[in-house]
Amino acid sequence: MQALMMNSQLMISSILKHAEKAFPTQEIVSVTVDNPLHRYTYKDFGARSRKLANALTTLGAKFGDRIGTLAWNDYRHLELYYAVSGSGMVCHTINPKLFPEQVAYIINHAEDKFIFVDVLVFPLIEALKDHLKKVEKIIVMTSPAAMPETSMDNVVCYETLLEAENDSFEWPEFDENTASGMCYTSGTTGNPKGVVYSHRSTILHALVGALPDSTGARAEEVCMPIVPMFHVNAWGVPYASIMVGSKLVMPGPKLADGETLHKLIEGEQVTYSSGVPTIWMALLDYLNKTGKRVNSLKTAGTGGAACPIGIIETFNKKYGTTVKQGWGMTEMSPLGTIYSPTAEMADYTQEQLIGLQAKQGRCVFGVELKIVDEDNNELPWDGVAFGALKVRGPWIASGYYGMSQTPGDNDCPVDSDGWLNTGDVAMIHPNGFMQITDRTKDVIKTGGEWVSSIDIENAAASHTDIAEAAAIGRYHPKWTERPLLIAIKQPGANIDKDALMAFLKDKLHKWAVPDDVVFVEELPHTATGKLNKLALREKFKDYEFPAA
Amino acid sequence: MQALMMNSQLMISSILKHAEKAFPTQEIVSVTVDNPLHRYTYKDFGARSRKLANALTTLGAKFGDRIGTLAWNDYRHLELYYAVSGSGMVCHTINPKLFPEQVAYIINHAEDKFIFVDVLVFPLIEALKDHLKKVEKIIVMTSPAAMPETSMDNVVCYETLLEAENDSFEWPEFDENTASGMCYTSGTTGNPKGVVYSHRSTILHALVGALPDSTGARAEEVCMPIVPMFHVNAWGVPYASIMVGSKLVMPGPKLADGETLHKLIEGEQVTYSSGVPTIWMALLDYLNKTGKRVNSLKTAGTGGAACPIGIIETFNKKYGTTVKQGWGMTEMSPLGTIYSPTAEMADYTQEQLIGLQAKQGRCVFGVELKIVDEDNNELPWDGVAFGALKVRGPWIASGYYGMSQTPGDNDCPVDSDGWLNTGDVAMIHPNGFMQITDRTKDVIKTGGEWVSSIDIENAAASHTDIAEAAAIGRYHPKWTERPLLIAIKQPGANIDKDALMAFLKDKLHKWAVPDDVVFVEELPHTATGKLNKLALREKFKDYEFPAA
């Protein structure tokens, strides 16, 4: 029997329409190159987004066209989020920090028709100009006075474009499964792959992301997304915060500058902010050096990489800020799990809560999680068993752009039962808290046991003489694989292999203690700053264990 | 361009599946006739709901069948909510306090196949047994020991039914627009009309209802829905609370008993509770008489009727409890607006906040509101203009069961532009707060002005000598209509017409002061306790104003 409810589609434009009417005076504050502290209201934001929607029509953009952005977190990028998706085009955010050939590949693969680019990133576009096959126009996101010199003849100024338009525009309503946004994920192997979000997935993700036990977004919050808007839509903050009417503070290109971040937090009384752990490291360093504080900051959201417990402890004990660690993927919009205590944790000590905050968090409503063994049998949520982590839900990718959508196919990330392979190995505690133990491809399989390379790395890095460590599995005639540790010493430290092995024996299961340690001067990293274990395995492909 | 996201349907069963895994030890506490304080966990709740789903199959229930409930707020009713909707049938909640002929009409109109009935309501079913055309079985929601004597041969005991089943059941996935629930709304005219909810509307409503600025539902909350589960799904609490893992406290048949409510709040440390204003009146009376307190209760949600400011003030000033007033309709699942401050209210005084709490609240994301004049022109949100209130959104009815679904038709509540006529007259303030001023059919149209009958009634009721008052429009040769006030004096009071008129002149606009006052001994009310103005207009249909 069909229900008798209105067939209203979930539209990104409905966020903007609601926000303009319900919170006209709320502020959005941005750092940009042409204005160190730009400030306007939701009402202005709505009017300019409608001007931009008209400008897109004038430029010749059509329903379904991909519109690329190479930009930082500011109000113009926010206008693009809403104007592009709201008028039925696809807002394709691109990471300007990728290798130039990756940027060119992504723009060409998505067939972007227009590129909106921050003035600081414009040189990258100029360098790539002969390689961008389908791009008709480049719009530089700045005012006429700040426009760069260029020999290119298809470059337009953002503010000049908007000035020519009026602010009347009716946001169209269409199927909520229409593409609204696109974000490429770049692994260590192969070309970047495009994830395509829908209006439906974006709205559902924003609602669940704003729940009290997720980020708790609300009208009285002052929210600063430090995580870039090209990094899975800044984890959805630009949708959730505006939906609920928060004040937004956008740090522009100053994403990793402790001084700017501190000034914005104190100056705008930021209560909630989100960023990767290295950002928090930069802020804490700055606070530590200057003795300054961040009294307004109640919550620091984090994700993208496991958050070192030192960051969590310092925030909690020194500044009274709770770290909310979450876990997700570009393929998951990204929210899968997030720190949120349950009633049974009401009498936990601060230490116990910090321990929980160091895990990846509790699964949110809407995302189904499971861990499976090598034969795809589901494992219990007992805090002991760990296996390959799979997920399912309405904001999770069914495939990549231009690749197979058939579950079970080799280049489709979804298995034949309809679950997305995350590529992570995890355990889940009885209270629903999930803990990533490794990447599937990095886990070391030794004599039937799975050993987490991350556990070994963390144990090694906890030695004061070790600056960074990587563990990989290498061939062993008896155990198939055994762990090899590759480490960088702290400057001036003179720890040797035996001392480190002895130290690790106290910290790890017997079978997880590496069979050998190699000290190196540097370790390879990917463009997004993660350890490049593929390169390491390649480098050590002929390595043989001494005893073997 | 289509997005590449999983096509996961929004299913009510997904709430239960998530809750069982994420919060297995969380509690649900219920008052029932066979157990004054029943207590079990989400894990038990999940297992018994699956047994009930198997029992429904055993009984012969099929996908789409309507399953009636006549029951109070307890764990068995909750099991029905999930087992019935979760297995693709329609959970049809019926108000046992309606007139028996209305109950029979509703059961027959919905063609309920089975009726689940509380032991206290069973006599009503026995009385109606010859009138229930399609009902195959009556299941009494109690244990064998508490089963009533009956001559009926199709009566089954709920616990006996469950005992025969096992707790393995795979919740099916199907189209999210499938009917999940049904609730009849009874006005002052005509037969009750059935609103049919979907899985999609229920999930979206639960998500928006749980947002921090709506009810703020979360795992650490202890939530007691006093609003009955037959009253628009207890305003959605049974979905939102379980989705986020709150402890639930269900007062069973003791919905209006101040002593029981107090005992439950203190005993279970209830932090959030929701009920109509008369319930709060009963609790505050009990607290006032006994000197007892409700220290754990942070928030009292209210709606269903305008909340008298005295309740809001007493809760705020004496008990430190914030009253969150909301507004909605059976046709709206019900949430449309709710009290929630914005950033600009951060420095409001307690008096200003109480003033805001006395309004109907700010519109939530997902519901579009508009007010229109008599020619359907949209009016501004300026806090001055008022007009007919219309709404639109994914949890709003497109029509009634068995009636026209064509917008603009006479028996369809949706106008030809796709907006639902609420039947209310409202103004909306620039900050998005909405204030109901009257019902469309009760507003008094005098010389081109709209006068709110409720404003006149509130002004009259603020006189200490007046117990209750009703205002209706009556024919006037010059002004078309003029207000007539019909009032009940307080026992022993001897106020006269002139004194009351003089009092009202200070309180109301000149054109809103009634032309006449008639004192009566009683006023007519509907089955749900609202003033029956239709009956009043009928009674005074030949009335003529003295001066006219």
Side-chain angles (χ1 to χ4, degrees):
Chain A
M1 176 170 149
Q2 282 291 103
L4 305 175
M5 292 279 120
M6 287 185 184
N7 180 29
S8 304
Q9 296 297 289
L10 302 176
M11 294 276 101
I12 288 176
S13 58
S14 69
I15 298 179
L16 183 55
K17 282 159 73 180
H18 174 70
E20 268 190 280
K21 284 196 128 177
F23 318 100
T25 60
Q26 184 56 286
E27 284 186 322
I28 297 169
V29 179
S30 306
V31 174
T32 66
V33 170
D34 57 336
N35 185 340
L37 208 61
H38 178 273
R39 190 181 289 276
Y40 73 177
T41 65
Y42 274 27
K43 199 177 161 201
D44 304 325
F45 166 53
R48 280 175 52 98
S49 297
R50 281 180 266 115
K51 281 188 174 191
L52 178 56
N54 283 322
L56 288 165
T57 309
T58 304
L59 284 173
K62 300 267 181 295
F63 196 87
D65 278 348
R66 274 75 67 208
I67 313 291
T69 72
L70 278 158
W72 311 106
N73 294 11
D74 65 28
Y75 67 102
R76 292 187 183 110
H77 206 173
L78 209 55
E79 289 161 7
L80 279 159
Y81 265 46
Y82 283 88
V84 171
S85 306
S87 35
M89 297 145 206
V90 186
C91 184
H92 173 208
T93 56
I94 308 160
N95 182 348
K97 293 186 292 183
L98 292 177
F99 301 117
E101 57 272 26
Q102 285 184 314
V103 172
Y105 173 86
I106 289 172
I107 291 173
N108 289 328
H109 189 265
E111 301 183 84
D112 290 334
K113 191 167 186 178
F114 304 106
I115 301 282
F116 285 75
V117 60
D118 191 273
V119 65
L120 293 179
V121 188
F122 183 68
L124 171 64
I125 285 295
E126 256 192 329
L128 293 175
K129 67 174 189 281
D130 296 335
H131 305 282
L132 306 180
K133 298 174 194 163
K134 303 247 177 159
V135 176
E136 296 180 7
K137 278 208 163 53
I138 306 294
I139 299 94
V140 184
M141 297 162 68
T142 193
S143 45
M147 279 294 284
E149 293 279 324
T150 178
S151 61
M152 291 171 71
D153 59 3
N154 61 344
V155 175
V156 181
C157 169
Y158 186 92
E159 291 300 331
T160 307
L161 199 67
L162 254 65
E163 210 174 342
E165 303 293 339
N166 77 60
D167 64 8
S168 300
F169 183 84
E170 279 292 319
W171 300 108
E173 188 169 328
F174 42 83
D175 176 5
E176 67 193 27
N177 295 304
T178 302
S180 62
M182 204 166 184
C183 187
Y184 278 71
T185 174
S186 52
T188 45
T189 55
N191 281 317
K193 290 171 289 199
V195 177
V196 188
Y197 308 108
S198 67
H199 287 259
R200 172 184 167 95
S201 69
T202 304
I203 297 283
L204 291 173
H205 181 268
L207 285 170
V208 169
L211 288 176
D213 285 335
S214 303
T215 68
R218 61 203 168 84
E220 288 175 305
E221 197 91 78
V222 181
C223 178
M224 178 163 78
I226 310 178
V227 51
M229 289 173 74
F230 50 75
H231 187 167
V232 214
N233 298 322
W235 300 344
V237 167
Y239 303 113
S241 294
I242 291 180
M243 180 185 275
V244 304
S246 302
K247 175 174 166 183
L248 266 180
V249 180
M250 316 284 276
K254 302 284 195 168
L255 297 173
D257 173 20
E259 183 177 357
T260 302
L261 297 180
H262 170 263
K263 201 184 286 179
L264 287 170
I265 293 171
E266 286 289 281
E268 304 299 331
Q269 291 288 293
V270 170
T271 58
Y272 183 93
S273 182
S274 43
V276 294
T278 49
I279 294 295
W280 296 128
M281 202 88 86
L283 177 67
L284 290 177
D285 276 352
Y286 175 78
L287 297 180
N288 191 41
K289 274 186 205 134
T290 58
K292 290 182 176 166
R293 299 189 59 84
V294 282
N295 292 324
S296 61
L297 190 69
K298 298 284 166 269
T299 311
T302 198
C307 186
I309 197 153
I311 292 181
I312 300 172
E313 279 180 333
T314 308
F315 261 129
N316 265 273
K317 295 183 176 170
K318 199 162 168 188
Y319 302 105
T321 302
T322 299
V323 173
K324 248 190 191 280
Q325 180 162 192
W327 167 85
M329 301 170 73
T330 304
E331 290 85 344
M332 295 172 67
S333 301
L335 185 61
T337 60
I338 192 163
Y339 170 73
S340 52
T342 60
E344 59 186 355
M345 294 155 199
D347 51 6
Y348 272 29
T349 62
Q350 191 182 18
E351 292 302 330
Q352 284 178 300
L353 290 175
I354 287 174
L356 271 181
Q357 286 157 19
K359 303 198 195 319
Q360 275 61 50
R362 189 150 58 71
C363 60
V364 298
F365 171 77
V367 173
E368 286 183 87
L369 294 182
K370 70 173 178 183
I371 46 176
V372 298
D373 67 16
E374 284 181 281
D375 301 321
N376 206 29
N377 298 310
E378 198 166 345
L379 296 168
W381 292 22
D382 60 6
V384 178
F386 58 96
L389 180 64
K390 297 188 172 190
V391 295
R392 190 165 70 168
W395 53 87
I396 293 174
S398 60
Y400 297 110
Y401 185 59
M403 295 170 75
S404 169
Q405 300 299 311
T406 307
D409 274 7
N410 237 348
D411 58 349
C412 180
V414 177
D415 72 15
S416 52
D417 298 330
W419 292 76
L420 181 110
N421 278 305
T422 65
D424 281 318
V425 176
M427 68 167 67
I428 310 178
H429 294 264
N431 58 17
F433 273 72
M434 192 270 286
Q435 194 172 355
I436 299 286
T437 53
D438 212 341
R439 294 286 298 164
T440 316
K441 63 185 187 309
D442 295 335
V443 82
I444 299 159
K445 291 172 186 166
T446 180
E449 293 288 343
W450 282 20
V451 168
S452 159
S453 63
I454 293 172
D455 280 355
I456 304 175
E457 290 157 10
N458 287 343
S462 75
H463 193 292
T464 48
D465 283 351
I466 298 297
E468 193 177 10
I472 57 174
R474 288 296 76 188
Y475 173 75
H476 190 284
K478 179 167 178 195
W479 306 108
T480 315
E481 273 191 353
R482 286 295 300 150
L484 168 67
L485 184 69
I486 304 149
I488 306 175
K489 294 182 194 176
Q490 289 284 8
N494 61 359
I495 186 169
D496 66 10
K497 172 180 152 179
D498 293 341
L500 185 55
M501 297 277 266
F503 176 81
L504 293 175
K505 277 188 181 126
D506 284 344
K507 302 254 169 191
L508 295 168
H509 281 296
K510 195 174 141 202
W511 58 84
V513 176
D515 275 19
D516 196 13
V517 176
V518 178
F519 290 104
V520 293
E521 294 300 315
E522 61 177 352
L523 287 164
H525 292 90
T526 67
T528 55
K530 293 180 183 170
L531 266 176
N532 188 342
K533 297 218 181 148
L534 188 75
L536 266 186
R537 280 190 285 265
E538 181 57 26
K539 187 173 170 193
F540 285 86
K541 71 175 192 297
D542 299 326
Y543 173 88
E544 281 182 27
F545 284 109
Chain B
M1 174 173 150
Q2 281 293 103
L4 305 175
M5 292 279 120
M6 289 186 181
N7 180 29
S8 304
Q9 296 296 289
L10 303 175
M11 295 275 100
I12 287 175
S13 57
S14 69
I15 298 178
L16 183 54
K17 283 160 70 180
H18 173 71
E20 269 190 280
K21 284 197 126 176
F23 319 100
T25 60
Q26 184 57 287
E27 285 186 321
I28 297 169
V29 179
S30 306
V31 175
T32 66
V33 169
D34 56 336
N35 186 340
L37 207 60
H38 178 275
R39 190 180 291 274
Y40 73 178
T41 65
Y42 274 26
K43 199 179 162 199
D44 305 325
F45 166 53
R48 280 175 52 96
S49 297
R50 281 179 267 117
K51 281 189 173 192
L52 179 55
N54 283 322
L56 288 166
T57 309
T58 305
L59 284 173
K62 299 268 181 298
F63 195 88
D65 278 348
R66 272 76 65 205
I67 313 291
T69 71
L70 277 156
W72 311 107
N73 294 12
D74 65 29
Y75 67 102
R76 293 187 182 110
H77 206 173
L78 209 54
E79 290 161 6
L80 279 159
Y81 264 47
Y82 282 88
V84 171
S85 306
S87 35
M89 298 144 205
V90 186
C91 184
H92 173 207
T93 57
I94 308 160
N95 182 350
K97 294 186 292 184
L98 291 176
F99 300 117
E101 59 271 26
Q102 284 184 315
V103 172
Y105 171 86
I106 288 173
I107 291 173
N108 289 328
H109 189 265
E111 301 182 84
D112 290 334
K113 192 166 185 177
F114 304 106
I115 301 282
F116 285 76
V117 61
D118 191 274
V119 66
L120 292 179
V121 188
F122 183 69
L124 171 64
I125 286 293
E126 256 192 329
L128 292 176
K129 66 175 188 279
D130 296 335
H131 305 283
L132 306 180
K133 297 172 196 164
K134 305 247 178 160
V135 176
E136 294 181 7
K137 279 211 162 50
I138 305 294
I139 299 95
V140 183
M141 296 161 68
T142 194
S143 45
M147 279 294 285
E149 293 278 323
T150 178
S151 61
M152 291 170 71
D153 58 5
N154 60 344
V155 175
V156 181
C157 171
Y158 185 93
E159 291 301 331
T160 308
L161 199 67
L162 253 63
E163 211 173 342
E165 304 292 341
N166 77 61
D167 64 6
S168 300
F169 184 84
E170 279 291 320
W171 299 109
E173 187 170 329
F174 43 83
D175 176 5
E176 67 192 27
N177 295 304
T178 303
S180 61
M182 205 168 181
C183 188
Y184 278 70
T185 174
S186 52
T188 45
T189 55
N191 281 318
K193 290 172 291 202
V195 177
V196 187
Y197 308 109
S198 67
H199 287 259
R200 171 184 169 93
S201 69
T202 303
I203 297 285
L204 291 174
H205 182 267
L207 285 170
V208 169
L211 287 176
D213 285 335
S214 302
T215 68
R218 61 205 168 83
E220 289 176 304
E221 196 92 78
V222 181
C223 178
M224 178 164 78
I226 310 177
V227 52
M229 289 172 73
F230 51 75
H231 187 166
V232 214
N233 298 323
W235 300 344
V237 168
Y239 304 112
S241 293
I242 291 179
M243 179 185 278
V244 303
S246 303
K247 174 174 168 184
L248 266 179
V249 180
M250 314 283 278
K254 302 286 194 163
L255 297 173
D257 173 20
E259 184 177 356
T260 302
L261 297 180
H262 170 264
K263 200 183 286 177
L264 287 170
I265 292 170
E266 286 288 282
E268 303 298 332
Q269 291 289 291
V270 170
T271 58
Y272 183 94
S273 182
S274 45
V276 294
T278 50
I279 293 294
W280 296 129
M281 201 88 86
L283 176 67
L284 290 177
D285 276 353
Y286 174 79
L287 298 180
N288 191 40
K289 275 186 203 131
T290 58
K292 289 182 177 164
R293 300 189 60 84
V294 281
N295 292 324
S296 62
L297 191 69
K298 298 286 167 268
T299 310
T302 198
C307 186
I309 197 154
I311 291 181
I312 300 172
E313 278 181 332
T314 307
F315 261 128
N316 265 272
K317 294 183 176 171
K318 199 162 170 188
Y319 301 104
T321 302
T322 299
V323 173
K324 249 192 191 279
Q325 180 162 192
W327 166 86
M329 300 170 72
T330 303
E331 290 86 343
M332 295 173 66
S333 300
L335 184 60
T337 60
I338 192 163
Y339 170 72
S340 53
T342 59
E344 59 185 356
M345 293 154 200
D347 51 4
Y348 272 29
T349 63
Q350 190 181 21
E351 292 303 329
Q352 283 177 301
L353 290 175
I354 288 173
L356 271 182
Q357 287 159 17
K359 303 198 195 317
Q360 276 62 48
R362 189 150 59 72
C363 60
V364 298
F365 172 76
V367 173
E368 286 183 87
L369 295 182
K370 69 174 179 181
I371 45 175
V372 298
D373 67 16
E374 284 180 281
D375 301 321
N376 207 28
N377 298 309
E378 198 166 345
L379 296 168
W381 291 23
D382 60 5
V384 178
F386 59 97
L389 180 64
K390 297 187 171 189
V391 295
R392 192 165 69 168
W395 53 86
I396 293 174
S398 60
Y400 299 108
Y401 185 61
M403 295 170 74
S404 168
Q405 299 298 313
T406 306
D409 274 8
N410 236 348
D411 58 350
C412 179
V414 177
D415 71 16
S416 51
D417 298 330
W419 292 76
L420 180 109
N421 278 306
T422 65
D424 280 318
V425 176
M427 68 167 67
I428 309 177
H429 294 264
N431 57 17
F433 272 72
M434 192 268 287
Q435 195 173 354
I436 300 284
T437 52
D438 211 342
R439 295 287 297 165
T440 316
K441 62 186 190 309
D442 296 335
V443 82
I444 299 159
K445 291 171 185 166
T446 179
E449 293 288 343
W450 281 22
V451 167
S452 158
S453 64
I454 293 172
D455 281 355
I456 303 174
E457 290 157 10
N458 287 343
S462 73
H463 193 292
T464 49
D465 283 352
I466 299 298
E468 192 178 10
I472 56 174
R474 288 297 77 188
Y475 173 75
H476 189 286
K478 180 168 175 192
W479 306 107
T480 316
E481 273 191 354
R482 286 294 301 149
L484 167 67
L485 183 71
I486 305 150
I488 306 175
K489 293 180 194 178
Q490 290 285 6
N494 61 0
I495 186 170
D496 67 10
K497 168 178 152 179
D498 292 341
L500 185 55
M501 297 276 267
F503 176 81
L504 293 176
K505 274 186 185 131
D506 283 345
K507 302 254 166 190
L508 296 168
H509 280 296
K510 195 174 141 197
W511 58 84
V513 176
D515 275 20
D516 196 11
V517 176
V518 177
F519 290 104
V520 294
E521 293 301 314
E522 60 179 352
L523 286 164
H525 292 90
T526 67
T528 54
K530 294 179 182 170
L531 266 177
N532 188 340
K533 296 216 182 151
L534 188 75
L536 265 187
R537 280 190 285 264
E538 180 60 27
K539 186 172 168 195
F540 285 88
K541 72 175 191 294
D542 299 325
Y543 172 88
E544 283 182 24
F545 283 108

